[in-house]
Amino acid sequence: MGEMIEQDMRNQDQRRRMDAERQIYRERQQAIRREEQARLDEARRQEILLIKRLQTALSKLGFYTSAIDGDRGPGTKKAEVLFSRAFGFSDIPLDEHSISQIEDLAVRGFRSADELREATAAGFDLREDFLAAKAGGFASAQDYSDARQEGFASFQEYRRYRLSGFDKPADYRVAAEGGFDQRAEFEAARAAGFADRAEFINFKASGHTDKRAYEAALAAEAAATAAFAACVEVGPQGDLEKILDICLTAIIAGADSHQMKPYLEEIRAKLDEQLRQLSEHSSAVSTEVASTGETTVHQSDASVFLVTRAKLLEAQRQLECGLAILEESWANATAICQEAQGSGTRTLEKLQTLASIELKAAGEAAEKEAEEKRRAAAAEQQRLALEAAHGRLEALLSDMGLFTKAKRSLVNPLDVAKAVVRLRQLEQSDDYEAIEQALIFTDQLLKGEPDFQAFLTEKQKASEIALVNARTTATADLQRMSSFIEIFVGANLLHESVNDLLQLQDKLASALQSGQDQQIFNMQKAASAEIARLNLSSALSNYVYEENAPSTTEVQQAPNGIAVTDLNRGLLEGDRKDVLLVGNFTPQASHLLVDLTGKTTFDGGLVDYCWIGADSTKPPLLDHVLPALRSHGAETFRSLGSCGSSQAVNADVLLVERGEFLSRNVLDVTPILQAFESNQFKLIQTIAWADVGRSAEDDGRMADTIRNEVLGQARVGFGVVRFEGESGELCLVVQPDEAEFHQRALAIRSIDLERFLPVDIGAVAMTLDRAFASVQKRACKAVYASESDMAKLLQGLQNVDAPHSVLPVWIDQEMISEGRALAQRSEDEKQKEIAARRQELEADAALRKRKREAAEVVRVEREKELRGRYSQESRAAYNDLSQLSKSFMEGSSENSVIFTRLFPELGSWKMGWKNDSWELEKYEDRLVDYGTADWKNRKLEAVIIETSVTTKNAIRGEYSKSCYLLAYLIDSEFQVRRDPMVEPCETSAPALRQWQVSRGFESRWVASITE
């Protein structure tokens, strides 16, 4: 029993413990559940807070428009989707970091990632500032901040302020209220007493020296206008005496003569009519008296007739006085007004005084003009005498300088030195008599110097040396041609030119056997012309004369003897007019690089270049070269000039015109060739003449046409003048509020402009005067202006050192209208429209190119047919002018007289270089055109040639090249050469065109292309 009780007690204790444990477990579980619920409640509270912050941020950004309730429902999720699309998020995590980022965006206010990137790139932190800056035309936060501090909301206004020269915005605003945008002009106007720019401009245009005189002139003009209005108001039909007084008073007041004359002519007609009626009435009365037999005439009627007639005649004299004054024929006006003196009216006295004063002033002006003409004539005579004296002085000093450099000796060095010092002192003198006296004294002194006289003799001998050199060269040419004909005929027995070549071979042999210089020289020219006519010039130039040929004939050679190999073939073979962009890949080239993809590029976008071309003053095909270099990353271009050894080593790129490279001395081009063959120089790109040559020629013609038509006031629109130099802006000579229209129009033509101007060139609107000043300061890379402003600019550029060229790009009114329409559209629409117009222009250009190519084929065939049909006539005309020109250059006395009579300019030119110790080294010419021209209702032959003359000065050790275009008409009927023309080659195109058009020239040698 006791055990049972103990067991029962133990069981009870166990149950109590278990109940206690269960209670503790239940309480623990309840605590856990309470903690979990609290955690969930806190998480939910935090989630609601985050959602509210998200909703608030999205609401500020404009994506969420519902209540800020912490519920992430459909409205919130829709806003999140819109935000994610705008900023490129995949989703929005509901965490502190993500929400803080969105809140930061909300504070800054940006609505999209694109907007944020654009603003950040420009330096903006807040969307409000970014939009305000964008609306004001600002591109950067710095400009916007600076402008806002100065109180400007518009970039254009801020830019105008910065360019105006004002130090304080307040001063600028005061000036702007009066229409001024430049400080200097504003201060000048204020000093003159003007606050309005328009009034100040009118003041300056008036020519008056001060405001008082200007206002007096305005008052006088107003009085004249009022007087004229009074004359018009009274009309020609009113009281005659009143009309005359008012209208003659208007003349005295200075009313416009062109406006006054019609009214006075009406008054004159009225007077004439009244006199005629009075005369008819008098005749009728006399007839009536005769018919009735009455002999008594009422004295009162006769008195009325005489008084009326006298009054009308007096009015007529006064009127004629006024009309004479309007004609400004003061001597005549004075005489007529003196005849009307009897009227005694105050108005007539004023007219008489006015005529007398003006007559006296006209006489004084005529005397002054005559005196000025006399002075000008005397000054011109003195100028010509001074010019001639200075010419002799310079020639003598030049001879003395060459004599001294040659280390020659003098018998009386001190006397000669004193004479030379005196001459040097007179170099800038205007006293031609003193110069002449010094020259005479020096000439007499030098006659006693045997070494100097020997020096002059040596100069003469230099001419003889030149003749020997010319003979040797001509003989070698004839021998080479003879050898070429022998080889060519042997290899081409059935060629169509064989018979002509055999005849030419006989002539060559005859000339060589004669030993006569003139015959050899003439044959050299005639043979070259015949070879060209037979289209064998290329074969002859590639022919290697056996006497000088290398032993291994299988090696190809360039025209200057350089061996053509696989290593240099790309440099030496191809069209001679091609321009090669050769890269210098040595360490000496500072900027040329190859990037990781193997593409050629330039460090910092800078390119140093030199060139080898026919023109040593400018690179070949530069308008096509620069865009090609830009395609390789070039942005800034720096010219090193024509390629010498030092320039080539340091240049990044060599611009090589292949034909000029092949014509250079082998020793000069060997370093470049060796660098090319060793892969230190590499070909970057070829500008093929076949692709751009026609375009370059068309550009040149178009530019010349634009220049001539602008100067001749025959073109309407806007053009561009480009200036040398690598920096500067595009200066727009337009009103600032119209600048955008013109920039849009230029954007449409950007394909054409990119060949001539940097792609990223900035543009700024300004006045013509400001643009001209900026050109002189090298601040304008190009100036865009209307035809009238462009004409003024071109004329002004003749007075300053600013090398320039007219671009072959013209913006007409239709394109400006397109630009105006574009400016009204959104940015996307603008870009789309510009792209569409560019594509349209590209398509038009491609179509014109295809038409041009097709027309070129027709032209070539037509030209070939013309030259075949008129070969004999053209050859005879060409030989006539060519032989006359060549014999003149070579010194034939008979032909020199004929040639000088035809072309006196060249006679003076040759005399100048002969007197300066120059002598003929080489003469070449070619037929430019042959055809017919009109001469007094007859058709005459017309021939045009281009002559190239190389002279040398043995004393100076120099060579010089000159080129002229010659033309005349051949009148075979009267055996006379008529209507000659001579023009330097570089300026010959417009002169030749005018000469041809004015004479109805029809070519039988050159076929024009028609599109």
Side-chain angles (χ1 to χ4, degrees):
M1 178 65 87
E3 292 180 354
M4 293 179 59
I5 292 173
E6 288 179 357
Q7 183 63 40
D8 184 52
M9 291 176 66
R10 284 194 295 271
N11 290 339
Q12 288 179 0
D13 289 339
Q14 186 175 3
R15 283 195 295 273
R16 281 194 295 273
R17 285 193 302 271
M18 292 178 64
D19 289 341
E21 288 175 355
R22 281 194 292 272
Q23 181 64 32
I24 292 171
Y25 175 76
R26 283 195 298 271
E27 289 177 354
R28 187 177 296 162
Q29 289 297 316
Q30 288 174 356
I32 291 172
R33 283 194 293 273
R34 284 195 300 271
E35 289 177 359
E36 179 65 20
Q37 186 62 46
R39 186 185 65 77
L40 291 174
D41 290 345
E42 179 62 24
R44 176 57 181 162
R45 188 179 69 80
Q46 292 296 330
E47 180 183 9
I48 291 172
L49 289 176
L50 289 174
I51 292 172
K52 286 184 176 181
R53 288 168 60 190
L54 175 63
Q55 290 173 333
T56 301
L58 294 176
S59 176
K60 289 182 179 179
L61 292 173
F63 297 110
Y64 182 69
T65 58
S66 300
I68 309 298
D69 55 8
D71 183 11
R72 201 174 187 181
T76 304
K77 290 182 179 179
K78 179 181 178 182
E80 291 181 39
V81 170
L82 294 175
F83 173 83
S84 297
R85 289 177 182 172
F87 286 92
F89 287 20
S90 56
D91 54 21
I92 301 177
L94 202 62
D95 56 48
E96 180 65 29
H97 177 70
S98 300
I99 300 303
S100 295
Q101 282 188 316
I102 297 174
E103 285 177 328
D104 180 63
L105 288 173
V107 170
R108 299 177 69 183
F110 295 105
R111 299 293 194 267
S112 69
D114 291 340
E115 187 178 58
L116 176 61
R117 279 192 296 271
E118 184 180 356
T120 303
F124 291 95
D125 291 326
L126 300 178
R127 183 173 186 264
E128 179 182 2
D129 290 343
F130 174 65
L131 293 180
K134 197 171 184 179
F138 294 93
S140 71
Q142 185 62 52
D143 286 344
Y144 175 67
S145 176
D146 294 343
R148 190 167 57 177
Q149 289 179 5
E150 299 286 1
F152 294 97
S154 163
F155 175 72
Q156 290 297 333
E157 187 66 20
Y158 177 60
R159 183 179 179 82
R160 283 195 288 270
Y161 161 66
R162 293 292 301 273
L163 295 174
S164 68
F166 284 97
D167 298 326
K168 299 178 181 179
D171 294 340
Y172 169 75
R173 292 189 178 93
V174 171
E177 288 178 1
F180 297 94
D181 59 4
Q182 293 297 316
R183 178 179 180 177
E185 186 180 41
F186 174 67
E187 291 178 347
R190 189 165 55 182
F194 294 92
D196 182 78
R197 184 174 185 271
E199 188 177 3
F200 180 60
I201 294 298
N202 290 336
F203 163 69
K204 289 198 299 182
S206 70
H208 292 286
T209 55
D210 55 53
K211 186 177 181 181
R212 179 179 297 178
Y214 171 67
E215 290 177 342
L218 289 181
E221 183 178 348
T225 303
F228 172 70
C231 176
V232 173
E233 183 179 356
V234 73
Q237 303 304 322
D239 177 72
L240 186 61
E241 185 175 349
K242 181 179 180 181
I243 293 171
L244 276 175
D245 185 64
I246 292 175
C247 291
L248 293 178
T249 301
I251 294 175
I252 296 169
D256 184 81
S257 61
H258 295 291
Q259 294 178 327
M260 286 294 301
K261 281 182 182 179
Y263 292 97
L264 295 186
E265 293 291 350
E266 288 187 43
I267 296 172
R268 173 191 273 172
K270 179 183 176 183
L271 278 171
D272 292 343
E273 176 63 21
Q274 289 182 0
L275 285 168
R276 185 188 62 80
Q277 291 177 358
L278 186 63
S279 177
E280 289 179 354
H281 177 71
S282 174
S283 298
V285 170
S286 299
T287 302
E288 182 180 351
V289 169
S291 62
T292 58
E294 295 182 13
T295 58
T296 303
V297 179
H298 294 290
Q299 187 172 354
S300 61
D301 290 341
S303 176
V304 169
F305 169 77
L306 292 175
V307 169
T308 302
R309 184 173 181 276
K311 184 178 181 181
L312 290 176
L313 289 175
E314 178 184 328
Q316 190 178 51
R317 286 192 294 270
Q318 293 182 31
L319 179 61
E320 292 302 326
C321 172
L323 283 169
I325 289 176
L326 289 180
E327 294 291 342
E328 296 185 358
S329 176
W330 302 116
N332 186 41
T334 301
I336 293 175
C337 292
Q338 288 295 335
E339 291 179 4
Q341 191 171 2
S343 61
T345 66
R346 181 66 176 164
T347 301
L348 184 60
E349 290 176 0
K350 291 181 178 180
L351 288 174
Q352 292 169 348
T353 302
L354 175 62
S356 298
I357 292 173
E358 292 295 343
L359 177 61
K360 182 180 179 182
E364 292 174 351
E367 290 179 5
K368 183 177 179 181
E369 182 180 1
E371 179 61 26
E372 288 177 352
K373 287 182 177 179
R374 285 193 294 271
R375 290 177 180 175
E380 179 63 12
Q381 291 176 355
Q382 185 172 348
R383 186 191 68 79
L384 292 174
L386 182 62
E387 186 177 303
H390 274 297
R392 291 185 57 208
L393 185 147
E394 290 172 6
L396 183 53
L397 288 177
S398 176
D399 284 346
M400 291 302 301
L402 295 172
F403 178 81
T404 303
K405 288 180 181 179
K407 308 296 184 182
R408 309 294 283 265
S409 61
L410 293 168
V411 176
N412 299 301
L414 295 180
D415 292 340
V416 173
K418 291 177 182 178
V420 171
V421 168
R422 178 56 179 160
L423 291 177
R424 295 296 299 273
Q425 291 172 343
L426 293 170
E427 279 187 297
Q428 304 301 322
S429 173
D430 294 336
D431 188 348
Y432 66 91
E433 293 181 350
I435 296 174
E436 286 292 346
Q437 290 173 2
L439 286 170
I440 293 171
F441 174 78
T442 306
D443 285 340
Q444 291 296 327
L445 189 63
L446 290 174
K447 287 180 180 179
E449 294 291 341
D451 204 13
F452 186 78
Q453 296 304 314
F455 167 78
L456 295 179
T457 303
E458 290 169 7
K459 287 179 61 179
Q460 180 63 32
K461 289 182 178 179
S463 299
E464 300 173 7
I465 296 171
L467 180 61
V468 172
N469 291 340
R471 184 192 305 118
T472 303
T473 301
T475 301
D477 282 349
L478 297 187
Q479 290 171 345
R480 185 171 183 272
M481 289 181 192
S482 180
S483 177
F484 164 74
I485 292 173
E486 182 178 348
I487 298 299
F488 184 86
V489 170
N492 302 274
L493 293 175
L494 300 180
H495 195 277
E496 60 183 3
S497 302
V498 167
N499 185 50
D500 291 329
L501 288 173
L502 291 175
Q503 294 179 18
L504 179 59
Q505 179 77 318
D506 292 339
K507 294 177 181 178
L508 290 171
S510 175
L512 288 169
Q513 291 171 3
S514 72
Q516 298 295 318
D517 292 346
Q518 196 61 48
Q519 189 171 347
I520 291 174
F521 293 149
N522 290 343
M523 192 65 240
Q524 180 190 26
K525 179 57 185 161
S528 297
E530 181 67 3
I531 292 291
R533 185 187 69 80
L534 298 174
N535 294 321
L536 295 176
S537 296
S538 178
L540 175 61
S541 65
N542 293 325
Y543 170 67
V544 180
Y545 186 26
E546 288 295 330
E547 183 176 284
N548 300 317
S551 56
T552 53
T553 57
E554 66 272 16
V555 179
Q556 284 184 271
Q557 286 189 325
N560 54 356
I562 298 175
V564 179
T565 68
D566 291 337
L567 294 176
N568 61 29
R569 196 176 303 276
L571 183 63
L572 302 181
E573 287 192 343
D575 194 319
R576 294 175 62 86
K577 292 184 179 181
D578 288 351
V579 175
L580 312 174
L581 276 58
V582 177
N584 180 357
F585 290 86
T586 67
Q588 286 84 353
S590 304
H591 312 102
L592 184 62
L593 300 171
V594 176
D595 63 17
L596 292 173
T597 64
K599 295 181 179 178
T600 301
T601 186
F602 299 96
D603 187 17
L606 178 61
V607 180
D608 289 334
Y609 68 89
C610 67
W611 68 87
I612 296 175
D615 189 341
S616 62
T617 63
K618 64 181 179 180
L621 295 180
L622 188 61
D623 294 335
H624 298 276
V625 167
L626 295 186
L629 290 174
R630 290 192 187 102
S631 69
H632 293 281
E635 297 175 356
T636 305
F637 305 90
R638 191 161 59 193
S639 169
L640 302 182
S642 183
C643 284
S645 56
S646 60
Q647 289 88 347
V649 169
N650 296 304
D652 299 303
V653 176
L654 287 70
L655 312 180
V656 179
E657 185 179 349
R658 181 182 281 119
E660 184 63 20
F661 184 83
L662 294 176
S663 66
R664 292 282 177 93
N665 186 286
V666 175
L667 295 177
D668 293 337
V669 299
T670 294
I672 296 175
L673 189 66
Q674 290 175 344
F676 189 86
E677 292 174 342
S678 63
N679 230 22
Q680 293 177 322
F681 287 3
K682 300 178 185 178
L683 185 62
I684 297 175
Q685 187 174 338
T686 299
I687 309 297
W689 178 260
D691 296 334
V692 306
R694 183 77 193 181
S695 172
E697 293 174 351
D698 289 347
D699 285 347
R701 283 193 291 269
M702 182 60 179
D704 288 340
T705 299
I706 290 174
R707 175 188 289 273
N708 294 334
E709 290 184 354
V710 165
L711 293 175
Q713 301 179 357
R715 181 173 283 263
V716 177
F718 288 77
V720 183
V721 179
R722 182 184 63 181
F723 300 89
E724 291 186 5
E726 302 302 337
S727 61
E729 297 178 300
L730 175 58
C731 298
L732 307 175
V733 183
V734 298
Q735 293 298 323
D737 56 352
E738 295 183 354
E740 184 181 4
F741 311 152
H742 292 272
Q743 288 180 270
R744 298 296 178 186
L746 288 168
I748 296 173
R749 294 294 303 274
S750 60
I751 295 176
D752 295 326
L753 285 171
E754 286 172 5
R755 292 193 291 114
F756 308 103
L757 299 175
V759 177
D760 57 348
I761 187 171
V764 58
M766 59 180 65
T767 64
L768 178 60
D769 289 340
R770 186 65 182 171
F772 189 59
S774 298
V775 165
Q776 297 175 65
K777 297 180 180 297
R778 303 294 192 269
C780 288
K781 174 66 177 175
V783 174
Y784 168 89
S786 66
E787 74 284 349
S788 58
D789 287 337
M790 188 173 174
K792 296 176 184 176
L793 177 63
L794 291 174
Q795 292 168 351
L797 289 172
Q798 297 176 4
N799 303 319
V800 298
D801 180 22
H804 64 280
S805 58
V806 175
L807 297 190
V809 178
W810 192 257
I811 305 297
D812 56 26
Q813 293 298 332
E814 180 180 354
M815 197 160 289
I816 294 172
S817 298
E818 289 184 40
R820 189 183 301 274
L822 278 172
Q824 309 302 320
R825 305 180 187 177
S826 70
E827 192 60 32
D828 288 343
E829 290 176 327
K830 292 175 184 176
Q831 297 303 324
K832 290 178 182 178
E833 184 65 20
I834 289 173
R837 283 291 285 126
R838 287 182 60 173
Q839 292 172 0
E840 180 180 344
L841 292 173
E842 288 177 9
D844 290 343
L847 178 60
R848 288 196 300 271
K849 181 180 179 181
R850 288 195 297 272
K851 288 182 177 179
R852 198 161 52 236
E853 290 171 347
E856 178 64 13
V857 173
V858 176
R859 187 197 69 78
V860 170
E861 290 299 319
R862 169 62 177 161
E863 192 169 277
K864 183 178 180 181
E865 188 265 335
L866 278 175
R867 296 188 178 188
R869 184 191 306 174
Y870 299 106
S871 62
Q872 298 299 324
E873 295 91 333
S874 62
R875 188 189 314 173
Y878 163 70
N879 288 340
D880 182 78
L881 180 50
S882 173
Q883 292 172 9
L884 187 66
S885 174
K886 185 174 182 180
S887 60
F888 162 76
M889 293 298 176
E890 293 175 346
S892 171
S893 58
E894 179 182 353
N895 286 336
S896 292
V897 174
I898 300 173
F899 189 89
T900 304
R901 189 181 302 121
L902 289 166
F903 307 105
E905 302 94 331
L906 289 185
S908 301
W909 168 74
K910 182 183 176 184
M911 183 179 296
W913 59 256
K914 289 286 285 184
N915 290 339
D916 202 21
S917 301
W918 291 90
E919 55 194 14
L920 182 66
E921 170 67 11
K922 185 178 181 181
Y923 172 89
E924 295 176 310
D925 61 30
R926 68 179 182 87
L927 178 62
V928 174
D929 212 342
Y930 164 78
T932 62
D934 297 328
W935 177 265
K936 297 183 178 179
N937 299 320
R938 291 189 299 133
K939 286 287 187 182
L940 304 182
E941 287 182 287
V943 60
I944 306 159
I945 70 170
E946 180 186 282
T947 66
S948 177
V949 180
T950 302
T951 57
K952 68 177 182 180
N953 191 311
I955 299 174
R956 295 186 182 183
E958 296 176 2
Y959 289 86
S960 176
K961 290 184 178 180
S962 302
C963 179
Y964 287 92
L965 201 75
L966 308 179
Y968 57 51
L969 308 182
I970 302 174
D971 192 342
S972 301
E973 182 178 351
F974 294 95
Q975 295 295 305
V976 175
R977 301 177 179 93
R978 302 187 185 278
D979 205 9
M981 183 204 75
V982 59
E983 191 73 17
C985 294
E986 58 270 21
T987 60
S988 63
L992 175 60
R993 182 59 182 161
Q994 182 180 2
W995 189 83
Q996 290 176 322
V997 170
S998 62
R999 290 152 183 79
F1001 178 84
E1002 295 178 4
S1003 179
R1004 293 179 174 179
W1005 188 253
V1006 177
S1008 301
I1009 188 169
T1010 56
E1011 301 187 21

